[in-house]
Every structure is written in C-alpha cells, then in structure tokens.
Amino acid sequence: MPAGTVPTGKVTASGKPGIRKATWWDHTGPLAVVFAGGPDSNAGDLVLPVRIPQGPGQWARVEHFLAGPGRWHKVDLVRRRKASAPGGWVYEAHLMILGPGYTAPAVQRMRQRAAALDRIGGVDGNVSNLSIVSFPAGLDPAEGAPASTEITLTDAERALLERQAKKRRGRARALERSRRATNTAQYGLSKKQTRRAEHRAAKGLPVKTVTVPGGARAARTDGVPKQAFRRDRLSEGYRNLRARQAEAAASAAEHRRHRARAVAREIIAAHGVNLTVEDCDIRTWYRLWGKHLSQTTPGMLIAALDRECRAAGGRLVRASTWSTALSQHCLCGQRVNKTLRDREHKCVACGLVGKRDLVSAALAAFVRLTDVDGPKTAHLHNAMSRHAQITYGQGLEEALRESTTPNPKPVRRPGRVAVPHQRETSAHRTAARRPRATPDETRPARDHAGKPGRRPGCDPQLALW
C-alpha cells in the first residue's frame, strides 16, 4: 500500500480494495495533541500526532515523562529556524512535566562514584585553559595521591573552530553583498570603483552600472545613516542565508554547552564534588581577550562544573581573589609576586617549580571560608598547604608540572538541535525566536512559541511530526 494512505473498507468496481489519503485523524499512536476549534469554529478540531522516540535506548526517557499518569504535564508549542523547511520555520510541541528532567543511568552512576570520592580540590580558570588539582581529604598518602588536570583545546577542536569562523565570515560577507546589491541608493562607491569610473569617463567610455557599491553608507553629518537598516529591502536569498546563519549559530552554541557538560562530568569523576574556584568577573576578561574566551569558554565550563557538583551532592565554592591572592603565593606560605606574563611559578624559599595555573589550583584546595556563601570571608590555610607539600613531596611537584590525568576526550559535534537554549535575560537575533521583528525585518514576526528555550522537565525529542 502506498505511504500515507489508509484502506476505506470498501471494494471498488474492479475488485480492488479502496484506499484514500491518510489524515491526522487516522493516527492511532499512544499520544496526540488536540486543539479544539470551539463551538463557533467551522474548521473543526486539529489533531496532531506525537512522535515517541524509538529504540531500546530511548525507552527509559519515554517512561520518565509518560509513566506517571498523576503527574502534571504540559505541552509547549515552540518554533525554531530551519532554512530547508517551508517558510524557514519548524513548529514543534514539547512535552513538559512538573519535576526534574531526565538523567541517563550512566550519568547517575558516575555522579554516585564522584560523590564517594573523599577529595578536596581547587580550580583555576584562565583564558586559554582550566586547571584542576585535588588531594585526599585527610592528606594521607595511603588514601591516594595528588591529581591534576588541564582542560585545553585539542587540535581537532581548534580546527573545528577555525572552520566555523571561516564560514561565519563568509556568510557575513554574503549578507553584506546582498544588502548592498538590493539597496544601491544607500551606499556610495568605493575608492577603487570611483577611480575606475573616472578612468572610463576620461577615455570616453560609457558609464558602467555598479551592482554592488563598496563605499560607505549614506549618512548625515553626525554619522547617523539617512535610512534606518530596518527599512532596507531584503531579498529572498538574504532571508534564507540569514536563517541558515541563525541555525548554524544555535548549533554551535549547543555544541559548546554539550562540551561543557561532558568536561564537567569528567572533572568531578576524577577530582570529586567538593571544589573551590576564585570568584572572578569574567566579563572584564572579554575586554582584553574576547576572541580567545569565546573559543575556550572558561565561564561556561565553571558554570557547568557548578551544576554538576550540586547534582552530585557537592558544591563549587567561590573564594575572593583579594583575600587569597592564590596566584601570588606558594604552598609553603611565601609570597611570590608574578605578572600576567609569568606563566611559571618559582619559589626561592622552598624551591617549588611548577605551572602557575596548577599551583594556584592547588592552593585553592586549601582555602577556607567563614561563610560558604560569602566569597569575601575566604582565607588561605597555609599550615595545611605546607603540610601537603611535605607529605607528598616529589609526587606533588610532578603533578604541578604536568597533568596527571588524561585530558577529557573531545566531544563530537552533535546533530540537529531541537530547541537551542537561551537565557531568559537576553534574546539574541541569532536565536530567531524574538516576539517582535528584528532590525532587518520589514514585517513584524508573530511568535507562537511563547517563552523560548528549554525548560526543566522538557523533552525536545517528544515532538510532533
């Protein structure tokens, strides 16, 4: 029987069974969403079948959301950008429950093993890497040895970031060319185009029409454009390319979040769930190293590490840099002044030599706070750090020179993004789910999605066909 058809139960004159085109009313699956038209509607009810994830590995997820009949459920309609879809949008219905989201059994077992580790550790966030050093809580060599980890970008991840940056630059140039070609009256000629026009006029050649002017935009004396960008005419190709750009940006953002979660789980599996990190304002770092920070995402890694520590029963404590000054001290208690250019720690008092970031992470493990919720109450316990240095000796020095645990495996680029997660405090244009028109859109975009983004207890895979 052809796909998308159902039998009618009747026999035609030729003796063949009758068939007709299938509709949504023919759906006999376990779950459907019905939108009632109401008593005054002539269109009738709208029935949308719900696709249940298939496969042996998906049943636990389905059971988590659908096993409890008394649990409060909600269906949230969302939309996301997809250039290949009709109209450039894909509409989905997400099933949500009043409760925690689904966690894979493997992740639960990993968190239980991490919670059982009786270790204390410190984290040092840097522009190019994330350093972690941990010790047994009792500082007993029989319970284990110091462990150190450096989270850096691998060659494969750097190559992927370069390819993505090259694609972004290409799309941005294509968008600018399309805007200029559609709104030629708003742009002037470039110096090269002006010289070429003067050269042709000098030779008596006919004037050549410039399809893509390369000069500055027509503006007033104060630099404000004479015509707002939102009033520009946009071609269909421009809109399709912008949709693909938004889709690629959402996919890249989801990849960074997925990598942060995987790296955070690897960290707590090796160093435990009780960690300390310096309370730094990473926003100030972006003023100096914005491009590098967007690649390594230290703030996203620390935030993911905080969530994983809490999920496993521990906590990531923040300590003030003013009261501790971890990068300016040694484990022996001596103050070792270093500039940002100095990436190696050398103590003249005890002779300790190691990487600056690893030494700072090791000192963070011995930070104590009078109030756990108050970073300013932090102070460095020099007696414990000196005791650890004497107890472990050469083993600690080796851990502070090189990482003793393997770097977490690079995360492969995930597939299609169901609903990109966005913070509710901001709505970037690349998210393409804003309730009003963007500056480049001439017509207001009506948003049927409600609040964008994934919510607790929401499963994007339980979506409509």
Side-chain angles (χ1 to χ4, degrees):
M1 183 177 297
T5 59
V6 293
T8 61
K10 300 180 181 179
V11 180
T12 61
S14 60
K16 296 182 179 180
I19 58 175
R20 62 175 175 83
K21 186 177 180 181
T23 64
W24 284 337
W25 288 101
D26 298 308
H27 176 65
T28 58
L31 187 63
V33 179
V34 180
F35 295 92
D40 300 333
S41 176
N42 298 325
D45 298 341
L46 176 62
V47 181
L48 301 179
V50 176
R51 181 185 62 196
I52 302 298
Q54 303 295 322
Q58 297 292 335
W59 177 248
R61 179 186 293 271
V62 175
E63 187 178 13
H64 174 77
F65 285 89
L66 300 178
R71 179 177 288 172
W72 185 86
H73 291 74
K74 179 185 177 183
V75 177
D76 190 16
L77 297 181
V78 298
R79 71 171 183 172
R80 60 180 175 84
R81 282 282 194 181
K82 188 175 183 182
S84 59
W89 295 94
V90 170
Y91 296 87
E92 295 176 343
H94 291 184
L95 179 66
M96 297 184 293
I97 62 173
L98 186 61
Y102 173 76
T103 304
V107 176
Q108 294 179 357
R109 292 192 296 268
M110 182 276 301
R111 290 175 178 173
Q112 292 175 358
R113 292 193 299 267
L117 294 177
D118 191 15
R119 300 182 69 90
I120 55 174
V123 181
D124 181 78
N126 197 3
V127 177
S128 59
N129 60 69
L130 194 71
S131 301
I132 307 96
V133 178
S134 64
F135 302 85
L139 298 181
D140 187 0
E143 299 178 358
S148 60
T149 303
E150 288 183 289
I151 307 299
T152 57
L153 291 177
T154 62
D155 295 339
E157 290 174 338
R158 293 183 183 277
L160 176 62
L161 291 174
E162 291 178 359
R163 292 195 300 268
Q164 291 177 349
K166 185 176 181 180
K167 288 183 179 180
R168 286 196 302 270
R169 292 193 298 268
R171 292 192 184 99
R173 287 194 296 266
L175 287 174
E176 183 66 16
R177 287 194 302 267
S178 177
R179 182 185 289 273
R180 288 175 176 270
T182 312
N183 305 272
T184 55
Q186 302 301 323
Y187 295 92
L189 300 179
S190 64
K191 294 182 179 179
K192 184 177 181 181
Q193 291 172 342
T194 303
R195 289 196 302 267
R196 184 176 298 175
E198 294 174 352
H199 183 69
R200 292 180 63 87
K203 288 190 174 182
L205 298 175
V207 178
K208 186 175 181 181
T209 304
V210 179
T211 58
V212 184
R217 190 176 177 92
R220 302 181 310 190
T221 55
D222 56 355
V224 178
K226 293 183 178 179
Q227 176 175 298
F229 284 90
R230 65 176 181 275
R231 300 186 182 276
D232 288 351
R233 293 186 300 108
L234 304 178
S235 63
E236 188 66 24
Y238 182 95
R239 297 179 185 275
N240 293 335
L241 183 59
R242 188 173 58 186
R244 289 196 296 270
Q245 185 184 35
E247 190 176 357
S251 179
E254 179 64 21
H255 171 64
R256 290 193 295 268
R257 287 189 291 268
H258 180 54
R259 174 183 178 271
R261 287 193 298 267
V263 170
R265 290 167 183 169
E266 293 283 345
I267 290 175
I268 66 172
H271 300 279
V273 297
N274 297 311
L275 303 174
T276 304
V277 64
E278 287 185 328
D279 187 23
C280 299
D281 190 359
I282 301 182
R283 293 176 299 179
T284 59
W285 297 5
Y286 276 91
R287 301 172 186 173
L288 299 176
W289 308 288
K291 182 177 180 181
H292 295 283
L293 284 174
S294 62
Q295 295 178 351
T296 56
T297 63
M300 186 177 293
L301 290 175
I302 294 175
L305 185 59
D306 187 11
R307 290 191 295 268
E308 289 296 328
C309 288
R310 292 179 182 272
R315 187 170 182 179
L316 180 66
V317 180
R318 296 181 178 271
S320 174
T321 57
W322 294 97
S323 58
T324 57
L326 301 180
S327 61
Q328 306 298 324
H329 283 86
C330 181
L331 291 172
C332 64
Q334 183 70 23
R335 187 175 181 89
V336 182
N337 295 324
K338 295 184 287 290
T339 63
L340 289 177
R341 187 181 299 272
D342 301 328
R343 306 314 306 170
E344 188 177 20
H345 173 87
K346 295 181 179 179
C347 181
V348 296
C350 63
L352 178 64
V353 178
K355 292 185 177 180
R356 171 193 179 128
D357 301 330
L358 291 177
V359 173
S360 299
L363 284 171
F366 303 107
V367 170
R368 298 296 177 263
L369 290 89
T370 307
D371 182 9
V372 180
D373 296 326
K376 294 183 179 180
T377 62
H379 63 278
L380 183 59
H381 201 307
N382 293 321
M384 290 188 63
S385 61
R386 178 58 178 169
H387 175 65
Q389 184 181 16
I390 297 175
T391 301
Y392 294 103
Q394 185 65 25
L396 178 58
E397 293 184 4
E398 293 177 357
L400 298 181
R401 290 194 183 102
E402 296 293 339
S403 175
T404 59
T405 58
N407 195 16
K409 298 179 181 179
V411 181
R412 292 187 176 182
R413 185 183 180 87
R416 178 182 63 83
V417 180
V419 177
H421 172 73
Q422 294 290 341
R423 295 180 300 174
E424 295 185 359
T425 57
S426 63
H428 302 286
R429 189 178 67 180
T430 54
R433 295 191 307 277
R434 300 183 64 172
R436 58 184 177 85
T438 62
D440 294 335
E441 293 177 350
T442 56
R443 294 179 298 176
R446 302 180 64 183
D447 192 355
H448 304 281
K451 283 188 177 181
R454 189 177 303 169
R455 303 175 186 174
C458 173
D459 187 11
Q461 296 188 8
L462 297 177
L464 298 178
W465 267 312

